[in-house]
Amino acid sequence: MTNCSSVVTPSSQSLHPLQEFALALTAWGKGRDVIFAVDVTRSVRLNDQGRLRIEQIIRDSLQRGDTAYIVPFARNIQVADSIEITSKDDIQTVLNQLPLQTDLEARNTDIQNAELFVYRFLAQQNYCRLIENQSIREQAVVWLTDAPLATETGKDWIETPADSPFLQSNSNESQLRRQWLEVLPLDARSRDIPTENNEQYQLTIVDIKPTVQEFCTPAPSGKETCLVNRYLLQQLWLPTTGIILLIISAIVALGIWYNWQKPWQITIEIEGEDEEENQVKTLKGNQRLAIGDEDASAIDYIPCSGEEVRGYLERKRNQLYLVPTLEAPIFYKEKEVEKRMKLTGNRIRLNCPENHRKDFEFVIRINQK
């Protein structure tokens, strides 16, 4: 994000839940920013169990696509180069660079200064992605310190340097830290970790949902220009269009499938018989009616002259086929049917001649509703 020169500040304009959801969609599968903020003063001295737990967190939590930052702090703060996680070797690089040994020269942990730096740094990363129309990320901070986190503004810590502006609740730095703690969606979880002297300090994981700072300003014609909606439109128009087309296709496919499952009502009108003598059969998809006599492969049969199974009325999806067996002739449109053929129309006239005469005729009437 070398093109980003804008400096982000906390915004008083909150995001709508739909915007939060859309931002989460833009961040899905894009990796995370993970900061390992390590207090290097003598008050934090890990024993073997503590080091084992830290290594376990790093090995189990870092994933391909994440970016790791190591931030040692005491009175001052340093930021090592980012480490892109593309393989297990990169995770080992994070472990090798993590300062788990105490710096005997370090004094006076300014924890509030570290909080301001870390949270503003992470907010700046996503803000630059917003400005450059890149996908924002989920973020997290792993705090290794015995200092209390997220304290009230102006409440000092025993190790806070005497000249720290965070000792004054009305200082610009104190107010800025308070604002970042309020506007970022921070979700903290802590666990006590033993030190070399069998004392305890807290390892705290702070997860930050994908978010950016929204800034809206008045525009001509009574309008307002904002950052987030325009960004979301640029980020999500293609996947949104794809999802809409997928939904439409699914609805159409469901409608077609439902239409295929609807049973047909087939009425057999036998020539020379009263309407009351008409037979009514039900035919579903992939079912068939035998013509001539009963057959184990058919759900029912249509009687005609002779005892042979002359053929089948077979339904495939929304098409009806006549399948002759060639055991005895069957005629359709004055022609003998000798191979499978598709039948069209809602009234189909078939002849089952006896002794090669067309003297047994019936009409199939199909009701598809």
Side-chain angles (χ1 to χ4, degrees):
M1 293 175 286
T2 57
N3 298 328
C4 180
S5 58
S6 302
V7 177
V8 66
T9 57
S11 172
S12 60
Q13 294 170 294
S14 59
L15 297 173
H16 189 275
L18 287 178
Q19 291 177 315
E20 295 176 355
F21 175 75
L23 287 172
L25 288 181
T26 66
W28 185 76
K30 300 302 190 300
R32 301 166 300 168
D33 294 325
V34 182
I35 284 184
F36 295 91
V38 184
D39 187 339
V40 294
T41 61
R42 288 188 295 176
S43 59
V44 178
R45 295 186 294 274
L46 294 177
N47 61 12
D48 291 340
Q49 182 186 155
R51 292 189 184 91
L52 181 63
R53 289 192 178 187
I54 298 303
E55 291 182 4
Q56 180 185 13
I57 289 174
I58 293 175
R59 292 188 186 279
D60 292 348
S61 63
L62 286 181
Q63 304 169 5
R64 190 185 299 266
D66 291 346
T67 301
Y69 302 88
I70 298 176
V71 180
F73 69 91
R75 181 188 182 96
N76 299 314
I77 303 170
Q78 304 172 16
V79 181
D81 293 336
S82 61
I83 303 171
E84 303 291 335
I85 307 300
T86 59
S87 66
K88 292 184 178 180
D89 292 339
D90 298 318
I91 295 178
Q92 187 60 48
T93 300
V94 175
L95 288 169
N96 294 340
Q97 294 188 12
L98 202 65
L100 297 182
Q101 298 295 331
T102 298
D103 183 354
L104 299 180
E105 301 298 324
R107 298 285 191 279
N108 299 330
T109 297
D110 196 342
I111 185 60
Q112 294 186 351
N113 184 37
E115 286 182 301
L116 173 58
F117 177 88
V118 165
Y119 293 131
R120 181 165 54 182
F121 175 83
L122 289 176
Q124 185 69 44
Q125 302 307 303
N126 270 346
Y127 185 73
C128 286
R129 294 182 180 113
L130 168 71
I131 296 300
E132 297 180 5
N133 195 30
Q134 299 177 5
S135 297
I136 67 169
R137 287 185 164 198
E138 181 182 353
Q139 298 173 320
V141 186
V142 180
W143 290 99
L144 286 76
T145 180
D146 63 337
L149 297 169
T151 56
E152 296 180 9
T153 303
K155 184 177 181 180
D156 63 336
W157 161 241
I158 190 173
E159 295 183 29
T160 304
D163 58 350
S164 172
F166 294 93
L167 293 176
Q168 304 298 323
S169 61
N170 59 351
S171 68
N172 291 335
E173 292 82 355
S174 290
Q175 294 301 315
L176 190 57
R177 167 186 169 274
R178 178 185 60 80
Q179 291 171 14
W180 279 122
L181 290 176
E182 289 176 351
V183 302
L184 291 177
L186 307 178
D187 181 18
R189 295 166 291 120
S190 299
R191 178 67 61 86
D192 289 336
I193 301 293
T195 69
E196 290 180 349
N197 298 331
N198 291 323
E199 297 175 350
Q200 300 285 333
Y201 80 97
Q202 283 193 330
L203 180 145
T204 301
I205 310 294
V206 179
D207 292 313
I208 307 174
K209 293 186 296 186
T211 190
V212 290
Q213 301 304 297
E214 172 68 292
F215 297 98
C216 295
T217 53
S221 303
K223 297 181 181 179
E224 189 178 46
T225 176
C226 300
L227 293 177
V228 173
N229 285 341
R230 181 179 60 186
Y231 167 77
L232 291 174
L233 180 63
Q234 294 171 329
Q235 285 287 312
L236 296 177
W237 75 267
L238 183 58
T240 300
T241 302
I243 291 174
I244 291 174
L245 291 177
L246 184 62
I247 292 174
I248 293 175
S249 299
I251 292 174
V252 171
L254 184 62
I256 293 174
W257 177 86
Y258 176 75
N259 197 33
W260 289 348
Q261 307 309 308
K262 290 169 58 178
W264 288 357
Q265 187 181 77
I266 294 182
T267 303
I268 297 95
E269 302 173 353
I270 301 176
E271 292 294 316
E273 299 287 346
D274 295 337
E275 186 175 342
E276 295 180 357
E277 300 296 326
N278 291 346
Q279 299 181 28
V280 179
K281 312 288 184 182
T282 298
L283 190 63
K284 299 180 180 179
N286 296 320
Q287 291 183 338
R288 59 184 184 174
L289 296 170
I291 300 174
D293 202 355
E294 293 181 300
D295 185 86
S297 65
I299 62 167
D300 205 343
Y301 74 102
I302 301 171
C304 66
S305 58
E307 297 181 354
E308 304 91 346
V309 176
R310 297 175 182 249
Y312 303 95
L313 284 179
E314 185 176 77
R315 179 183 171 186
K316 291 292 185 182
R317 297 177 178 173
N318 271 7
Q319 300 295 336
L320 188 65
Y321 296 88
L322 178 58
V323 184
T325 61
L326 303 182
E327 292 183 11
I330 186 169
F331 283 77
Y332 172 64
K333 292 185 177 180
E334 307 297 327
K335 294 183 180 180
E336 184 176 352
V337 178
E338 297 181 342
K339 61 181 180 180
R340 175 189 175 96
M341 67 176 299
K342 182 166 70 172
L343 303 176
T344 57
N346 291 331
R347 290 180 62 86
I348 300 166
R349 186 179 298 274
L350 299 176
N351 302 97
C352 296
E354 187 174 11
N355 298 325
H356 299 284
R357 291 183 299 105
K358 304 174 185 177
D359 56 0
F360 191 95
E361 190 172 67
F362 62 92
V363 174
I364 299 170
R365 180 158 45 89
I366 303 172
N367 184 358
Q368 299 185 15
K369 69 178 181 177

